[in-house]
Amino acid sequence: MFKNILCCWILLKYYFYEQNTIKIFNPMAKYKKANNCKECPYKSYSLTKLHENDVDLIQGSCLIVNFKKGENICKQGTEVTHALYLAKGSVKLYIEGKNKNLILKLVNQSKYIGLQSLFGDRIYNYTIAALEDSQVCMINASLIMDLAKKNVDYLFELTKNISEATNFVYKKIIDINQKQLRGRLADVMLHFSENVFESDRFELKLTRKEIAEYSAMSMENTVRILNEYKKDGIIGIDGRIFTIKQPEILRKIGELG
């Protein structure tokens, strides 16, 4: 009886919190309350580590928000109020600079985005924008922290996500500092093929300018090297459709730097 009363009180607490923070969303974005997290085909594996009552708490706190292509999901320098789970679509995480941006990472559906900020200083150090129409589950940050404190298995799953994202950024920094332009772009093409799209043929939703921002290169050098790879038969390019024809050569270029 006491547990049921406590759960109801917590749900009410986070419900009213959501009503007060709804203004953080893009006013044009469409949203709704979650109603069946347990059966959702896009749910996070971390939910399997929670007790049923705790999943109910997440469901009661969760808002499902639809973002159109190009819309910001969160803005660099703003406060973290929610954990963000990308249920559908794809997004880019990027640092906004004075003269140019640096795209840190692309993320596809069924993944948390921005957890390192949630467990850090609670300020977004990057902007997250939708690369296509996307659906994001926004869960009250305080609730996620409370559940992580009392459930070590759940915390472990979240920590793995943070560790993978952090290690990826570390490698990216090393590549930017140590590799020449051709090696850098070769690694990027292989990463898109093997890790992001898991296919040797994929539709890249980035513009040429964004590919340059992802590779920390000028757009002129990016276009020039892509055309060289195409001319040499290493990759195929048809608009936004890329085909990795000779991955072993790209890998060798990347290794040589």
Side-chain angles (χ1 to χ4, degrees), residues 25-137:
F25 303 131
N26 186 315
M28 299 302 292
K30 296 182 179 180
Y31 60 89
K32 62 181 180 180
K33 295 291 291 184
N35 58 20
N36 195 5
C37 292
K38 297 171 188 174
E39 303 300 325
C40 177
Y42 308 105
K43 68 181 179 183
S44 167
Y45 175 73
S46 63
L47 284 186
T48 64
K49 303 299 180 181
L50 292 173
H51 300 299
E52 188 171 331
N53 286 345
D54 291 336
V55 177
D56 290 338
L57 289 176
I58 284 183
Q59 180 173 301
S61 164
C62 179
L63 287 175
I64 301 174
V65 187
N66 293 310
F67 292 90
K68 292 188 178 297
K69 177 181 177 180
E71 286 186 335
N72 285 342
I73 295 168
C74 69
K75 183 72 172 172
Q76 181 174 318
T78 60
E79 181 185 0
V80 178
T81 58
H82 294 73
L84 306 176
Y85 181 77
L86 181 63
K88 299 179 186 178
S90 59
V91 301
K92 64 176 181 178
L93 284 72
Y94 67 99
I95 295 175
E96 298 183 59
K98 291 183 179 179
N99 299 316
K100 61 173 64 176
N101 299 330
L102 174 64
I103 298 178
L104 297 174
K105 192 176 184 182
L106 306 186
V107 181
N108 286 332
Q109 67 182 38
S110 300
K111 291 183 177 68
Y112 276 105
I113 45 178
L115 277 182
Q116 53 268 51
S117 295
L118 174 64
F119 285 87
D121 56 9
R122 301 292 286 270
I123 297 293
Y124 285 114
N125 296 307
Y126 43 78
T127 294
I128 302 178
L131 289 172
E132 59 183 320
D133 290 354
S134 300
Q135 188 175 88
V136 177
C137 298

